[in-house]
Amino acid sequence: MTQMSRLPSAPGREDIDLGRILGLLLRHKWWILAVTLLFGAAGYVSALLKPPIYEGDALVHVERRASVSPLGDLATVMGEEENTSAEVQILRSRMVLGRVVDRLALDTQVSPRRLPVVGDYLVRQGVTRDDLTELGWMTAPLGWLERLMPEAWDLSHLVWAGESLQLARLEVADPYRGAAFRLVAGRDAGYQLFGPDGDLLGVGRVGDTARFAGGDVVLSVREMTAAPGAEFSLSKRPQVSAIDSLLGRLTVTEQGSGSSASTGMLRLTLTGTDIDRVRESLDALAETFLMQNVERQSAQADQSLAFLDEQAVALKASLSSAEDRLNAYRVEVDSIDLDSEAASVVEQLISVEEQLNTLDFQEAELVQRFTRNHPTYQALMRQRGILNQEKARLEERVSEMPESQQEIVRLTRDVEVTQAIYVNVLNRAQEVAVAKAGTIGNVRVIDDAYVDDDPVAPDAGLMMALATVIGAFLAVAVVLVRGMLNRGIESPDQLEDLGLPVYATVPLSEFQQRLVKRVKYRSDRRSQPVIKGLLALTQPTDMAIEALRGLRTSLHFAMMEASNNCLMITGPSPEIGKSFISLNLGVICAQAGQKVLVIDADMRKGHLHSAFGAKAEGGLSDLLSDKSEVAEVIRHTEVEGLDYLSRGACPPNPSELLMRERFTTLMEQFSRDYDLVIVDTPPVLAVTDASIVGNRVGTSLLVTRFKLNPVKEVRVALRRLETSNVRVKGCILNAMDPSARHGYGYGHYVYAYQ
């Protein structure tokens, strides 16, 4: 035998016994495999039953915006890069998605009533109502299932492949938003509409617009292909809910965005269960995005044109006033003309004034877009400062001229500057008007919507693999957790740590399990194992019997110093195999030539008699109550040298009977008449019978069952026996799982004749 090593653990923690873990997994390998296969099959079936998910995509290009403002493309002037992130957010906005929802009526839901769980799968496989009729399902749908759940399994109300309902219009008042209506197909293109509470709202016909619930519900059915009685569920979701649903299936990514400059290429990806619906939604989304972009461009042009018209009126009035002042002064001074130097100064002043005026327009736009600390705004201020310095220099030159020349220069400058600005504004207004008339936006649809016929989900193989892994993990986890929570004895070492030698480790026998039959007692309604035969006779080469032969040898030496040849077999709790040990040990000892008597001292629930197919009456209780004599109750068996004494009729006071002197006298008599007397007693922790019997026998053995009796329970049983002055000679570990031998470093080996 080899004891498997244990890994060292941190102080205060139990060692991790890899051998025990391996033993647990080996013992439950078939259960783990069954759970794993069950999960894998469930994952595959779930993938088949789930509706297929299709994915479509479209490609749009957001070009650099051509500005229609009176200032030109300020971003280009100032070196500012165009960013498409704003366009992405606009594309995902409720403004754009809301238009798509309204255009395609995505907030209107039509759900056909189908067979639960597998209905959609059958429809995808093309199962029609005629197919069911040929199978006879319509006359007797699913037999007992129809009787068990007649409403759920009424196939006449279900919708199958080839049947559909298309709505032209569904409008509901706010109180009915989100509520489900039930439409039942009728004959001759008619239908009935039921409200959310199940009440009939009215009837209608395909192609007609009908009003229900006092006009709160307006319904128009475009086309209906369904048998009479087929049901559909109709609902009008809140627009926000429909928008969120569409947004959850939409993905917008910029193509080639890893480069330093933005490409403006946006890939729109949409998923859904209906190929046509996905394609329509993508096309509508791209078209709506394009139209709103054109509307934004046109609105900007309108604002710019209104601003230019307003400026043109003011500039025209200023120009007329400046011309009048110049003409009046010339008349007053008799038409003084400018010399060449003054004309040059005027031209320069006009140029500077035009640039300053342009900067005023730019500043008005920058204030709306940036703060005054923005680098672009600061650059404009520096440019203005330079122009103001140049203007001050020119005005200083003018101030050095004669007074009459100065005045004519100023007046001429006002006329020329105002006229130049006025002409520029008129030209720009014409440009904006032309741009507005030809507005096409800066968004182009590069690739129209395309939806692949192959679904992207669910992946049956992947789901089955994941389910299999999860099943295996859960099965192993359950086995390990149960093993950790189970504090039952799993090793003889645990018994020896209590100071008890282990005389035998009896493996669990599959043949013995077949000999045990569980019956119900009317008194407590609990199951009780009953032995129907002896393993030592039916399977003499079983490993359990070989272990008991080893126990027979050990007992020969253990009982040499005992006060008598009486042996008590007891245990802490019921159903641990005391009777199995007692009977088969008796058979083995008798086969070795000893004269053996097995006594059933469990006068409450003893069942040794069932192993021989006899009745309990006429046994120990009758003998102790002086109702029978020894010769009348001792029963002989087919095994030579083996006798047994049944429990007898169930007495009301078993413990009191055992405490009588009569029991002591009988044990002395049996000890003289037999080579070995085996007494099978009730559990120690249940009643006090074992403590009484233990004082009448020379040797006591405690039977414990593998993984059933905790160490603490065994310790309490030993303490109770010691309190009654009963010394336990040793223990028997019964029902040891043979598959656990590798996990605990010991086992049983088959060495039979060939």
Side-chain angles (χ1 to χ4, degrees):
M1 295 185 292
T2 303
Q3 183 68 31
M4 296 193 70
S5 60
R6 298 190 181 190
L7 293 177
S9 61
R13 296 180 58 186
E14 296 183 357
D15 294 341
I16 300 176
D17 194 341
L18 295 181
R20 180 174 181 270
I21 294 176
L22 179 60
L24 285 172
L25 298 180
L26 288 176
R27 285 198 308 277
H28 298 86
K29 59 181 180 295
W30 297 116
W31 187 84
I32 294 175
L33 179 61
V35 172
T36 302
L37 294 178
L38 180 63
F39 268 74
Y44 183 75
V45 172
S46 177
L48 290 181
L49 296 181
K50 285 183 177 294
I53 304 297
Y54 300 94
E55 182 179 85
D57 61 5
L59 185 65
V60 298
H61 181 211
V62 181
E63 300 174 335
R64 293 181 61 84
R65 189 185 304 275
S67 176
V68 293
S69 71
L71 310 178
D73 193 349
L74 186 61
T76 303
V77 173
M78 298 302 175
E80 183 181 347
E81 292 290 341
E82 184 76 16
N83 194 345
T84 59
S85 60
E87 299 294 340
V88 173
Q89 297 303 319
I90 292 175
L91 208 156
R92 294 171 55 88
S93 66
R94 286 195 295 269
M95 175 189 67
V96 174
L97 298 182
R99 294 182 183 180
V100 175
V101 169
D102 294 339
R103 176 177 173 179
L104 300 180
L106 298 181
D107 54 350
T108 301
Q109 288 186 314
V110 179
S111 302
R113 180 179 176 183
R114 289 180 177 145
L115 198 66
V117 183
V118 298
D120 291 335
Y121 174 76
L122 294 177
V123 170
R124 291 196 300 271
Q125 298 304 313
V127 178
T128 64
R129 192 176 296 269
D130 294 337
D131 297 332
L132 299 178
T133 304
E134 293 177 1
L135 294 175
W137 285 19
M138 296 303 294
T139 57
L142 301 183
W144 63 273
L145 287 177
E146 182 191 20
R147 295 190 296 272
L148 183 64
M149 296 179 291
E151 295 183 358
W153 295 92
D154 187 359
L155 302 186
S156 62
H157 292 171
L158 302 181
V159 178
W160 301 93
E163 299 177 323
S164 62
L165 174 69
Q166 296 182 9
L167 301 183
R169 179 184 179 187
L170 175 61
E171 298 178 2
V172 299
D174 290 339
Y176 291 105
R177 282 276 181 177
F181 298 87
R182 183 164 57 95
L183 185 147
V184 180
R187 300 184 182 277
D188 300 328
Y191 63 84
Q192 294 177 315
L193 185 66
F194 296 84
D197 53 0
D199 296 337
L200 177 63
L201 299 181
V203 297
R205 293 184 58 81
V206 176
D208 298 339
T209 300
R211 298 181 179 274
F212 305 95
D216 289 343
V217 179
V218 180
L219 176 62
S220 175
V221 178
R222 178 185 297 114
E223 181 181 352
M224 181 175 64
T225 305
E231 296 183 3
F232 298 85
S233 176
L234 314 179
S235 63
K236 192 78 170 181
R237 291 190 298 174
Q239 188 188 47
V240 175
S241 176
I243 291 174
D244 291 341
S245 176
L246 180 60
L247 181 60
R249 298 183 287 114
L250 174 66
T251 303
V252 182
T253 56
E254 184 176 2
Q255 303 295 299
S257 57
S259 59
S260 58
S262 176
T263 63
M265 303 295 291
L266 300 182
R267 175 73 63 181
L268 313 182
T269 305
L270 186 66
T271 59
T273 57
D274 189 331
I275 294 181
D276 295 334
R277 202 63 164 173
V278 171
R279 184 183 299 108
E280 292 175 358
S281 299
L282 273 176
D283 286 336
L285 185 60
E287 184 177 346
T288 302
F289 181 55
L290 174 63
M291 293 305 299
Q292 67 82 30
N293 182 266
V294 173
E295 292 173 359
R296 279 192 295 151
Q297 298 277 16
S298 179
Q300 183 180 1
D302 289 337
Q303 294 177 358
S304 299
L305 190 59
F307 173 77
L308 292 172
D309 290 341
E310 181 181 353
Q311 294 296 319
V313 173
L315 288 172
K316 183 176 182 181
S318 298
L319 178 61
S320 298
S321 176
E323 289 176 343
D324 291 341
R325 290 196 302 271
L326 177 60
N327 293 331
Y329 184 76
R330 283 181 172 177
V331 171
E332 180 181 350
V333 297
D334 195 14
S335 184
I336 297 178
D337 293 328
L338 296 175
D339 56 17
S340 59
E341 180 183 2
S344 175
V345 172
V346 169
E347 290 179 1
Q348 295 181 44
L349 281 173
I350 291 173
S351 176
V352 171
E353 289 288 351
E354 288 180 352
Q355 296 181 50
L356 286 173
N357 188 70
T358 301
L359 290 181
D360 289 340
F361 287 151
Q362 292 179 354
E363 181 183 7
E365 183 170 314
L366 286 178
V367 168
Q368 298 178 1
R369 300 177 57 187
F370 307 111
T371 64
R372 297 184 182 275
N373 295 325
H374 194 274
T376 303
Y377 187 85
Q378 293 296 326
L380 186 143
M381 291 296 101
R382 287 193 295 271
Q383 188 176 359
R384 170 178 291 204
I386 295 174
L387 292 176
N388 284 330
Q389 291 178 3
E390 180 65 16
K391 178 181 177 181
R393 187 183 66 80
L394 293 174
E395 289 179 347
E396 184 177 356
R397 289 181 59 186
V398 172
S399 63
E400 296 176 354
M401 297 178 182
E403 183 177 353
S404 59
Q405 196 74 12
Q406 292 180 26
E407 185 65 21
I408 197 65
V409 167
R410 292 189 182 93
L411 293 175
T412 302
R413 179 194 63 184
D414 292 342
V415 172
E416 295 293 338
V417 169
T418 305
Q419 185 177 10
I421 295 175
Y422 178 62
V423 172
N424 185 31
V425 168
L426 291 179
N427 291 337
R428 190 60 180 168
Q430 292 179 356
E431 293 176 3
V432 171
V434 172
K436 177 185 176 181
T439 298
I440 60 174
N442 64 326
V443 173
R444 288 190 305 151
V445 178
I446 305 300
D447 292 336
D448 292 331
Y450 171 77
V451 184
D452 196 348
D453 294 336
D454 296 328
V456 296
D459 188 338
L462 179 60
M463 289 189 64
M464 184 174 65
L466 290 177
T468 301
V469 172
I470 293 174
F473 174 79
L474 290 178
V476 171
V478 169
V479 169
L480 295 180
V481 170
R482 288 185 59 187
M484 293 174 59
L485 296 178
N486 184 10
R487 310 307 298 174
I489 294 173
E490 298 180 351
S491 167
D493 297 339
Q494 295 174 274
L495 294 171
E496 292 177 354
D497 291 341
L498 297 176
L500 290 175
V502 179
Y503 278 76
T505 301
V506 182
L508 182 65
S509 173
E510 296 181 0
F511 295 102
Q512 176 63 21
Q513 307 246 353
R514 302 173 189 172
L515 297 177
V516 176
K517 179 181 179 182
R518 306 187 75 87
V519 298
K520 297 274 186 180
Y521 284 90
R522 295 183 179 179
S523 58
D524 54 10
R525 295 296 179 183
R526 290 181 297 178
S527 63
Q528 179 73 15
V530 174
I531 302 175
K532 308 296 288 185
L534 293 173
L535 183 65
L537 297 179
T538 58
Q539 296 291 332
T541 60
D542 191 88
M543 288 191 300
I545 300 303
E546 292 295 338
L548 291 179
R549 289 191 177 98
L551 175 62
R552 178 188 62 188
T553 304
S554 301
L555 283 177
H556 174 73
F557 298 99
M559 298 180 65
M560 291 180 65
E561 299 179 357
S563 59
N564 57 39
N565 59 351
C566 298
L567 171 65
M568 179 179 72
I569 303 295
T570 187
S573 61
E575 300 185 19
I576 60 176
K578 301 186 306 299
S579 300
F580 165 75
I581 298 293
S582 301
L583 281 173
N584 288 277
L585 179 61
V587 173
I588 292 172
C589 292
Q591 290 174 341
Q594 291 181 296
K595 188 176 182 182
V596 182
L597 175 64
V598 180
I599 301 176
D600 191 353
D602 187 355
M603 290 179 282
R604 295 173 178 83
K605 296 183 179 180
H607 52 271
L608 289 183
H609 56 277
S610 62
F612 302 98
K615 296 182 179 180
E617 288 73 13
L620 181 61
S621 62
D622 303 291
L623 195 59
L624 294 178
S625 59
D626 296 325
K627 294 181 180 179
S628 301
E629 297 297 329
V630 174
E632 298 175 355
V633 296
I634 294 296
R635 304 181 186 182
H636 304 289
T637 67
E638 59 181 297
V639 181
E640 185 178 355
L642 176 64
D643 296 339
Y644 76 96
L645 180 61
S646 67
R647 61 178 171 85
C650 293
N653 54 347
S655 299
E656 287 73 9
L657 289 178
L658 292 174
M659 293 179 65
R660 292 182 179 181
E661 186 63 28
R662 172 69 168 164
F663 179 67
T664 305
T665 304
L666 287 174
M667 292 301 297
E668 293 175 352
Q669 179 182 347
F670 293 151
S671 179
R672 293 191 300 269
D673 296 341
Y674 291 91
D675 299 325
L676 177 63
V677 179
I678 302 175
V679 184
D680 182 18
T681 67
V684 175
L685 299 181
V687 292
T688 62
D689 297 15
S691 300
I692 301 172
V693 175
N695 283 282
R696 308 294 192 275
V697 300
T699 305
S700 298
L701 292 182
L702 189 71
V703 178
T704 59
R705 192 175 182 90
F706 177 73
K707 295 189 68 175
L708 179 63
N709 300 118
V711 174
K712 183 177 180 181
E713 189 175 79
V714 177
R715 185 182 293 111
V716 173
L718 290 175
R719 187 178 300 115
R720 181 167 298 182
L721 290 173
E722 290 174 357
T723 303
S724 302
N725 199 26
V726 177
R727 179 177 175 271
V728 178
K729 190 71 174 180
C731 281
I732 301 172
L733 181 56
N734 187 35
M736 183 72 182
D737 191 343
S739 63
R741 60 183 181 271
H742 300 294
Y744 300 101
Y746 60 89
H748 301 273
Y749 301 92
V750 178
Y751 195 71
Y753 291 101
Q754 294 184 348

